[in-house]
């Protein structure tokens, strides 16, 4: 399928718009997906791959903070989250539609927060009271490194925030500590979402400026081709004129020499030309 056709006027309106979340009108969004989809697939796939690697390495922290449920935590890390991260990397790399690609990346953030909070709730060691703080790491990684489109990141962050506050309410922490932890998690969500919004908005604007330059250059090239063609034709007859002959005579003579065949030029003087 060829590139989605858009006009400079559409691009100018999109540049001037202040949409929230940062999106384009349908035709321009389709062109954006055609031009940027492959890059987005590579980027999200690589981010999900390294998420799986890093999540597996964090198992060493569980051995110290939630030792009483370490084997359960190890199962969650190595049998659930690491394969899930690699699976999302494959889905993101081959996702045929944006919602599959972006949605799977956002879902990875939600599931990782949920598993961290579940381990926090089932552990009974005193040090487990600090384990819930690690739930902020998937938000940081998901919103700043993976960085799915803003609407997906916002949805995943809202679900993760609800899960976190629910876990704090049922985790047996002192009220003051639970409130402070909830505010800290909320701050992480808000700050990272602002970052996602600003980064995506600037990337989209940079894309629009680049696309506008491409279309302008293409129009200029097309106009130059038309002018060049017109300058080589006689306006009355539509036949190639002397300028065309001078521009191509050297090429034709060289072709004649290479082919070993003679080159003939015939000049005809037409009487009563106006009759033609």
């Amino acid at each position: 399928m060829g590139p989605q056709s858009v006009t400079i006027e559409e691009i100018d309106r999109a540049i001037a718009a202040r949409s929230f979340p940062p999106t384009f009108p349908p035709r321009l969004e389709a062109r954006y997906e055609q031009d940027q989809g492959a890059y987005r697939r590579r980027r999200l796939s690589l981010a999900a791959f390294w998420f799986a690697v890093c999540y597996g390495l964090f198992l060493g922290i569980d051995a110290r903070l939630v030792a009483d449920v370490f084997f359960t935590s190890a199962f969650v890390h190595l049998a659930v989250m690491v394969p899930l991260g690699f699976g999302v990397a494959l889905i993101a790399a081959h996702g045929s539609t944006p919602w599959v690609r972006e949605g799977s990346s956002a879902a990875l953030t939600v599931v990782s927060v949920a598993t961290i909070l579940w381990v926090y709730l089932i552990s009974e060691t005193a040090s487990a009271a600090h384990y819930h703080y690690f739930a902020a790491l998937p938000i940081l990684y998901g919103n700043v490194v993976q960085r799915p489109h803003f609407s997906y990141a916002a949805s995943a962050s809202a679900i993760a925030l609800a899960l976190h506050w629910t876990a704090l309410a049922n985790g047996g922490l002192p009220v003051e500590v639970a409130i402070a932890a909830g505010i800290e998690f909320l701050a992480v969500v808000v700050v990272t979402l602002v970052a996602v919004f600003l980064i995506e908005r600037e990337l989209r604007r940079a894309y629009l400026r680049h696309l506008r330059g491409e279309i302008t250059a293409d129009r200029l090239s097309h106009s130059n081709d038309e002018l060049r063609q017109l300058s080589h034709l006689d306006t009355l007859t539509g036949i190639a004129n002397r300028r065309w002959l001078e521009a191509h005579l050297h090429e034709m003579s060289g072709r004649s020499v290479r082919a070993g065949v003679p080159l003939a030029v015939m000049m005809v003087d037409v009487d009563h030309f106006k009759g033609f």
Side-chain angles (χ1 to χ4, degrees):
M1 183 172 60
Q4 182 73 29
S5 177
V6 296
T7 65
I8 288 181
E9 291 73 20
E10 289 178 289
I11 294 174
D12 288 340
R13 286 195 296 269
I15 292 176
R18 295 292 185 268
S19 59
F20 182 87
T23 56
F24 296 144
R27 287 199 334 143
L28 194 52
E29 188 70 32
R31 175 63 183 266
Y32 181 70
E33 174 61 24
Q34 286 179 351
D35 292 343
Q36 298 294 311
Y39 166 76
R40 294 287 303 170
R41 286 192 291 271
R42 290 194 301 270
R43 189 184 181 286
L44 290 174
S45 176
L46 186 62
F49 173 85
W50 284 111
F51 176 90
V53 173
C54 294
Y55 202 101
L57 295 176
F58 260 84
L59 186 59
I61 295 176
D62 293 43
R64 302 301 298 257
L65 293 182
V66 288
D68 59 329
V69 292
F70 175 74
F71 291 106
T72 301
S73 178
F75 177 82
V76 170
H77 276 71
L78 303 179
V80 178
M81 290 308 304
V82 171
L84 180 62
F86 291 146
V88 170
L90 291 175
I91 292 173
H94 302 286
S96 57
T97 58
W99 72 266
V100 171
R101 179 187 68 224
E102 310 290 332
S104 61
S105 298
L108 183 62
T109 298
V110 174
V111 175
S112 60
V113 170
T115 55
I116 290 172
L117 294 174
W118 179 67
V119 172
Y120 157 70
L121 289 174
I122 64 174
S123 178
E124 296 181 355
T125 62
S127 57
H130 304 284
Y131 191 76
H132 64 87
Y133 290 111
F134 291 104
L137 294 180
I139 295 293
L140 286 168
Y141 190 90
N143 289 352
V144 177
V145 180
Q146 279 188 285
R147 209 167 63 243
H149 287 327
F150 178 81
S151 56
Y152 293 90
S155 299
S157 298
I159 296 172
L161 183 63
L163 292 173
H164 188 263
W165 284 358
T166 301
L168 291 179
N170 294 276
L173 293 174
V175 175
E176 295 82 1
V177 175
I179 292 175
I183 293 175
E184 174 264 344
F185 195 84
L186 175 62
V188 171
V189 167
V190 172
V191 170
T192 55
L193 284 181
V194 169
V196 171
F197 174 80
L198 294 177
I199 292 172
E200 183 172 352
R201 186 182 66 178
E202 291 308 310
L203 287 175
R204 284 176 173 263
R205 286 181 177 175
Y207 167 78
L208 290 176
R209 290 190 291 268
H210 176 74
L211 181 60
R212 193 184 194 284
E214 281 189 344
I215 294 176
T216 301
D218 184 65
R219 285 186 178 182
L220 182 60
S221 176
H222 182 68
S223 298
N224 288 337
D225 289 341
E226 288 184 339
L227 289 173
R228 189 179 301 109
Q229 183 178 5
L230 289 174
S231 70
H232 288 167
L233 296 179
D234 180 78
T235 55
L236 180 61
T237 63
I239 299 173
N241 57 20
R242 178 176 174 176
R243 185 180 289 109
W244 183 93
L245 176 63
E246 291 176 345
H248 290 77
L249 186 58
H250 180 72
E251 176 189 347
M252 290 188 293
S253 62
R255 189 185 307 163
S256 173
V257 171
R258 290 193 300 272
V261 295
L263 172 66
V265 177
M266 183 172 61
M267 181 177 293
V268 179
D269 182 18
V270 180
D271 294 328
H272 308 293
F273 183 73
K274 289 183 179 179
F276 291 91

Short mmCIF file of all heavy atoms in Angstrom, two decimals, residues 113-155:
data_model
loop_
_atom_site.label_atom_id
_atom_site.label_comp_id
_atom_site.label_asym_id
_atom_site.label_seq_id
_atom_site.Cartn_x
_atom_site.Cartn_y
_atom_site.Cartn_z
N VAL A 113 3.48 -4.59 37.78
CA VAL A 113 3.09 -3.92 39.03
C VAL A 113 2.23 -4.85 39.88
O VAL A 113 2.41 -4.96 41.10
CB VAL A 113 2.34 -2.61 38.73
CG1 VAL A 113 1.71 -2.04 40.00
CG2 VAL A 113 3.28 -1.58 38.11
N ALA A 114 1.30 -5.54 39.23
CA ALA A 114 0.39 -6.44 39.96
C ALA A 114 1.17 -7.57 40.64
O ALA A 114 0.88 -7.93 41.80
CB ALA A 114 -0.65 -7.01 39.00
N THR A 115 2.15 -8.16 39.96
CA THR A 115 2.90 -9.27 40.56
C THR A 115 3.76 -8.79 41.73
O THR A 115 3.87 -9.48 42.75
CB THR A 115 3.79 -9.94 39.51
OG1 THR A 115 4.64 -8.95 38.90
CG2 THR A 115 2.95 -10.60 38.44
N ILE A 116 4.35 -7.61 41.61
CA ILE A 116 5.15 -7.06 42.72
C ILE A 116 4.26 -6.84 43.94
O ILE A 116 4.64 -7.19 45.08
CB ILE A 116 5.84 -5.76 42.28
CG1 ILE A 116 6.94 -6.05 41.27
CG2 ILE A 116 6.42 -5.02 43.49
CD1 ILE A 116 7.54 -4.82 40.64
N LEU A 117 3.10 -6.27 43.73
CA LEU A 117 2.20 -6.00 44.85
C LEU A 117 1.65 -7.30 45.44
O LEU A 117 1.43 -7.38 46.66
CB LEU A 117 1.05 -5.11 44.39
CG LEU A 117 1.47 -3.69 43.97
CD1 LEU A 117 0.28 -2.93 43.40
CD2 LEU A 117 2.07 -2.93 45.15
N TRP A 118 1.45 -8.32 44.62
CA TRP A 118 0.96 -9.60 45.14
C TRP A 118 2.01 -10.24 46.04
O TRP A 118 1.69 -10.74 47.12
CB TRP A 118 0.62 -10.52 43.97
CG TRP A 118 0.12 -11.87 44.42
CD1 TRP A 118 -1.04 -12.15 45.07
CD2 TRP A 118 0.81 -13.11 44.27
NE1 TRP A 118 -1.13 -13.50 45.32
CE2 TRP A 118 -0.02 -14.11 44.84
CE3 TRP A 118 2.02 -13.49 43.70
CZ2 TRP A 118 0.35 -15.46 44.86
CZ3 TRP A 118 2.38 -14.82 43.71
CH2 TRP A 118 1.55 -15.79 44.29
N VAL A 119 3.27 -10.22 45.61
CA VAL A 119 4.34 -10.76 46.45
C VAL A 119 4.43 -9.97 47.75
O VAL A 119 4.64 -10.54 48.83
CB VAL A 119 5.68 -10.74 45.68
CG1 VAL A 119 6.84 -11.10 46.61
CG2 VAL A 119 5.63 -11.70 44.50
N TYR A 120 4.27 -8.68 47.66
CA TYR A 120 4.28 -7.82 48.87
C TYR A 120 3.19 -8.23 49.85
O TYR A 120 3.42 -8.29 51.08
CB TYR A 120 4.12 -6.37 48.45
CG TYR A 120 3.58 -5.46 49.51
CD1 TYR A 120 4.34 -5.11 50.62
CD2 TYR A 120 2.29 -4.94 49.41
CE1 TYR A 120 3.84 -4.26 51.60
CE2 TYR A 120 1.77 -4.10 50.39
CZ TYR A 120 2.55 -3.76 51.48
OH TYR A 120 2.04 -2.94 52.45
N LEU A 121 2.01 -8.54 49.35
CA LEU A 121 0.88 -8.86 50.23
C LEU A 121 1.00 -10.25 50.85
O LEU A 121 0.55 -10.46 51.99
CB LEU A 121 -0.43 -8.76 49.44
CG LEU A 121 -0.88 -7.34 49.07
CD1 LEU A 121 -2.11 -7.38 48.17
CD2 LEU A 121 -1.18 -6.52 50.32
N ILE A 122 1.60 -11.21 50.15
CA ILE A 122 1.64 -12.57 50.70
C ILE A 122 2.84 -12.78 51.61
O ILE A 122 2.87 -13.76 52.37
CB ILE A 122 1.67 -13.63 49.57
CG1 ILE A 122 2.94 -13.52 48.74
CG2 ILE A 122 0.42 -13.50 48.70
CD1 ILE A 122 3.09 -14.63 47.70
N SER A 123 3.84 -11.88 51.55
CA SER A 123 5.01 -12.04 52.41
C SER A 123 4.69 -11.54 53.82
O SER A 123 3.99 -10.54 54.01
CB SER A 123 6.20 -11.27 51.84
OG SER A 123 7.30 -11.38 52.70
N GLU A 124 5.23 -12.22 54.82
CA GLU A 124 4.98 -11.85 56.21
C GLU A 124 6.24 -11.40 56.93
O GLU A 124 6.23 -11.20 58.15
CB GLU A 124 4.36 -13.04 56.95
CG GLU A 124 3.00 -13.45 56.40
CD GLU A 124 2.39 -14.62 57.16
OE1 GLU A 124 3.10 -15.17 58.05
OE2 GLU A 124 1.25 -15.00 56.86
N THR A 125 7.34 -11.23 56.19
CA THR A 125 8.55 -10.76 56.84
C THR A 125 8.46 -9.25 57.10
O THR A 125 7.73 -8.53 56.41
CB THR A 125 9.79 -11.03 55.95
OG1 THR A 125 9.64 -10.32 54.73
CG2 THR A 125 9.92 -12.51 55.66
N ALA A 126 9.22 -8.77 58.08
CA ALA A 126 9.18 -7.35 58.40
C ALA A 126 9.73 -6.51 57.25
O ALA A 126 9.25 -5.40 56.99
CB ALA A 126 10.00 -7.10 59.68
N SER A 127 10.73 -7.04 56.56
CA SER A 127 11.33 -6.28 55.46
C SER A 127 10.41 -6.14 54.25
O SER A 127 10.62 -5.28 53.39
CB SER A 127 12.64 -6.94 55.02
OG SER A 127 12.42 -8.30 54.65
N ALA A 128 9.35 -6.97 54.19
CA ALA A 128 8.42 -6.89 53.07
C ALA A 128 7.67 -5.57 53.05
O ALA A 128 7.10 -5.19 52.03
CB ALA A 128 7.42 -8.04 53.13
N ALA A 129 7.67 -4.86 54.19
CA ALA A 129 7.00 -3.56 54.25
C ALA A 129 7.62 -2.56 53.29
O ALA A 129 6.99 -1.55 52.94
CB ALA A 129 7.05 -3.02 55.68
N HIS A 130 8.83 -2.83 52.83
CA HIS A 130 9.51 -1.93 51.90
C HIS A 130 9.42 -2.42 50.45
O HIS A 130 9.86 -1.72 49.54
CB HIS A 130 10.99 -1.79 52.29
CG HIS A 130 11.19 -1.32 53.69
ND1 HIS A 130 11.00 -0.02 54.09
CD2 HIS A 130 11.56 -2.01 54.81
CE1 HIS A 130 11.24 0.09 55.39
NE2 HIS A 130 11.59 -1.10 55.86
N TYR A 131 8.87 -3.60 50.25
CA TYR A 131 8.89 -4.22 48.93
C TYR A 131 7.97 -3.49 47.94
O TYR A 131 8.25 -3.45 46.74
CB TYR A 131 8.47 -5.68 49.05
CG TYR A 131 8.70 -6.50 47.81
CD1 TYR A 131 9.97 -6.93 47.44
CD2 TYR A 131 7.64 -6.83 46.97
CE1 TYR A 131 10.19 -7.68 46.31
CE2 TYR A 131 7.84 -7.58 45.82
CZ TYR A 131 9.11 -8.00 45.50
OH TYR A 131 9.32 -8.73 44.36
N HIS A 132 6.89 -2.90 48.45
CA HIS A 132 5.92 -2.27 47.54
C HIS A 132 6.52 -1.07 46.81
O HIS A 132 6.01 -0.66 45.76
CB HIS A 132 4.67 -1.83 48.31
CG HIS A 132 4.95 -0.78 49.35
ND1 HIS A 132 4.96 0.56 49.05
CD2 HIS A 132 5.23 -0.88 50.68
CE1 HIS A 132 5.23 1.26 50.14
NE2 HIS A 132 5.40 0.40 51.14
N TYR A 133 7.62 -0.52 47.34
CA TYR A 133 8.23 0.61 46.66
C TYR A 133 8.74 0.23 45.26
O TYR A 133 8.85 1.09 44.38
CB TYR A 133 9.38 1.18 47.49
CG TYR A 133 8.92 1.89 48.74
CD1 TYR A 133 9.18 1.35 50.01
CD2 TYR A 133 8.23 3.09 48.66
CE1 TYR A 133 8.76 2.00 51.16
CE2 TYR A 133 7.80 3.75 49.81
CZ TYR A 133 8.07 3.20 51.05
OH TYR A 133 7.65 3.84 52.19
N PHE A 134 9.07 -1.05 45.08
CA PHE A 134 9.57 -1.48 43.78
C PHE A 134 8.49 -1.46 42.70
O PHE A 134 8.81 -1.57 41.51
CB PHE A 134 10.18 -2.88 43.89
CG PHE A 134 11.45 -2.90 44.68
CD1 PHE A 134 11.47 -3.38 45.99
CD2 PHE A 134 12.64 -2.43 44.14
CE1 PHE A 134 12.64 -3.39 46.73
CE2 PHE A 134 13.82 -2.44 44.87
CZ PHE A 134 13.81 -2.91 46.17
N ALA A 135 7.23 -1.31 43.09
CA ALA A 135 6.16 -1.23 42.09
C ALA A 135 6.28 0.03 41.24
O ALA A 135 5.71 0.10 40.14
CB ALA A 135 4.80 -1.26 42.78
N ALA A 136 7.03 1.02 41.73
CA ALA A 136 7.22 2.24 40.94
C ALA A 136 8.18 2.03 39.77
O ALA A 136 8.14 2.77 38.78
CB ALA A 136 7.74 3.37 41.82
N LEU A 137 9.05 1.02 39.87
CA LEU A 137 10.04 0.80 38.80
C LEU A 137 9.40 0.43 37.46
O LEU A 137 9.83 0.96 36.42
CB LEU A 137 11.04 -0.27 39.24
CG LEU A 137 11.94 0.11 40.42
CD1 LEU A 137 12.89 -1.04 40.76
CD2 LEU A 137 12.73 1.37 40.11
N PRO A 138 8.39 -0.47 37.42
CA PRO A 138 7.76 -0.73 36.12
C PRO A 138 7.10 0.51 35.53
O PRO A 138 7.06 0.66 34.30
CB PRO A 138 6.72 -1.81 36.45
CG PRO A 138 7.24 -2.48 37.66
CD PRO A 138 7.90 -1.40 38.45
N ILE A 139 6.58 1.40 36.38
CA ILE A 139 5.99 2.64 35.87
C ILE A 139 7.07 3.51 35.25
O ILE A 139 6.90 4.05 34.15
CB ILE A 139 5.27 3.40 37.00
CG1 ILE A 139 4.07 2.60 37.51
CG2 ILE A 139 4.83 4.77 36.52
CD1 ILE A 139 2.96 2.45 36.50
N LEU A 140 8.19 3.63 35.93
CA LEU A 140 9.30 4.42 35.39
C LEU A 140 9.80 3.84 34.07
O LEU A 140 9.98 4.56 33.08
CB LEU A 140 10.45 4.47 36.41
CG LEU A 140 10.26 5.38 37.62
CD1 LEU A 140 11.34 5.11 38.66
CD2 LEU A 140 10.30 6.84 37.20
N TYR A 141 10.01 2.54 34.06
CA TYR A 141 10.52 1.90 32.84
C TYR A 141 9.48 1.95 31.73
O TYR A 141 9.79 2.27 30.58
CB TYR A 141 10.91 0.46 33.13
CG TYR A 141 11.66 -0.20 32.00
CD1 TYR A 141 13.05 -0.15 31.94
CD2 TYR A 141 10.99 -0.86 30.97
CE1 TYR A 141 13.75 -0.73 30.90
CE2 TYR A 141 11.67 -1.46 29.93
CZ TYR A 141 13.05 -1.39 29.90
OH TYR A 141 13.74 -1.97 28.86
N GLY A 142 8.23 1.63 32.08
CA GLY A 142 7.18 1.58 31.07
C GLY A 142 6.90 2.92 30.43
O GLY A 142 6.72 3.02 29.22
N ASN A 143 6.86 3.98 31.25
CA ASN A 143 6.48 5.29 30.73
C ASN A 143 7.65 6.08 30.15
O ASN A 143 7.43 6.94 29.30
CB ASN A 143 5.81 6.13 31.82
CG ASN A 143 4.43 5.62 32.18
OD1 ASN A 143 3.89 4.74 31.51
ND2 ASN A 143 3.86 6.15 33.24
N VAL A 144 8.85 5.80 30.61
CA VAL A 144 10.00 6.59 30.15
C VAL A 144 10.84 5.83 29.13
O VAL A 144 11.34 6.43 28.17
CB VAL A 144 10.87 7.02 31.35
CG1 VAL A 144 12.11 7.78 30.88
CG2 VAL A 144 10.06 7.88 32.31
N VAL A 145 11.00 4.52 29.31
CA VAL A 145 11.84 3.74 28.40
C VAL A 145 10.99 3.08 27.31
O VAL A 145 11.23 3.29 26.11
CB VAL A 145 12.65 2.68 29.17
CG1 VAL A 145 13.52 1.87 28.22
CG2 VAL A 145 13.52 3.36 30.22
N GLN A 146 10.01 2.27 27.70
CA GLN A 146 9.15 1.66 26.69
C GLN A 146 8.36 2.73 25.95
O GLN A 146 8.34 2.78 24.74
CB GLN A 146 8.18 0.67 27.34
CG GLN A 146 8.79 -0.69 27.62
CD GLN A 146 7.73 -1.67 28.07
OE1 GLN A 146 7.28 -1.61 29.21
NE2 GLN A 146 7.36 -2.58 27.19
N ARG A 147 7.68 3.58 26.70
CA ARG A 147 6.96 4.73 26.19
C ARG A 147 5.96 4.39 25.09
O ARG A 147 6.10 4.82 23.93
CB ARG A 147 7.94 5.79 25.70
CG ARG A 147 7.41 7.20 25.80
CD ARG A 147 8.47 8.25 25.62
NE ARG A 147 9.08 8.20 24.30
CZ ARG A 147 10.35 7.94 24.08
NH1 ARG A 147 11.16 7.68 25.09
NH2 ARG A 147 10.84 7.93 22.86
N PRO A 148 4.92 3.62 25.42
CA PRO A 148 3.84 3.45 24.45
C PRO A 148 3.12 4.77 24.24
O PRO A 148 3.36 5.74 24.98
CB PRO A 148 2.93 2.41 25.12
CG PRO A 148 3.19 2.56 26.58
CD PRO A 148 4.64 2.94 26.69
N HIS A 149 2.25 4.84 23.25
CA HIS A 149 1.52 6.07 23.01
C HIS A 149 0.81 6.52 24.29
O HIS A 149 0.41 5.70 25.11
CB HIS A 149 0.49 5.86 21.90
CG HIS A 149 1.11 5.74 20.54
ND1 HIS A 149 2.24 6.43 20.17
CD2 HIS A 149 0.74 5.03 19.44
CE1 HIS A 149 2.56 6.14 18.92
NE2 HIS A 149 1.67 5.29 18.46
N PHE A 150 0.65 7.83 24.44
CA PHE A 150 0.22 8.41 25.70
C PHE A 150 -1.07 7.80 26.23
O PHE A 150 -1.18 7.53 27.44
CB PHE A 150 0.04 9.92 25.54
CG PHE A 150 -0.46 10.60 26.78
CD1 PHE A 150 0.41 10.91 27.82
CD2 PHE A 150 -1.80 10.89 26.93
CE1 PHE A 150 -0.05 11.52 28.97
CE2 PHE A 150 -2.28 11.51 28.08
CZ PHE A 150 -1.40 11.82 29.10
N SER A 151 -2.05 7.59 25.38
CA SER A 151 -3.33 7.05 25.87
C SER A 151 -3.16 5.68 26.49
O SER A 151 -3.80 5.35 27.50
CB SER A 151 -4.34 6.99 24.71
OG SER A 151 -3.83 6.23 23.64
N TYR A 152 -2.28 4.85 25.92
CA TYR A 152 -2.02 3.52 26.49
C TYR A 152 -1.24 3.64 27.80
O TYR A 152 -1.54 2.92 28.77
CB TYR A 152 -1.24 2.67 25.49
CG TYR A 152 -2.01 2.32 24.25
CD1 TYR A 152 -1.98 3.14 23.14
CD2 TYR A 152 -2.77 1.16 24.19
CE1 TYR A 152 -2.69 2.83 21.98
CE2 TYR A 152 -3.48 0.84 23.04
CZ TYR A 152 -3.44 1.68 21.95
OH TYR A 152 -4.14 1.36 20.82
N ALA A 153 -0.25 4.52 27.83
CA ALA A 153 0.53 4.72 29.05
C ALA A 153 -0.35 5.24 30.17
O ALA A 153 -0.22 4.82 31.33
CB ALA A 153 1.68 5.69 28.78
N ALA A 154 -1.27 6.16 29.85
CA ALA A 154 -2.16 6.72 30.87
C ALA A 154 -3.11 5.65 31.41
O ALA A 154 -3.35 5.58 32.62
CB ALA A 154 -2.95 7.89 30.28
N SER A 155 -3.63 4.82 30.54
CA SER A 155 -4.54 3.75 30.99
C SER A 155 -3.81 2.76 31.89
O SER A 155 -4.31 2.37 32.96
CB SER A 155 -5.12 3.02 29.78
OG SER A 155 -5.86 3.89 28.97
#
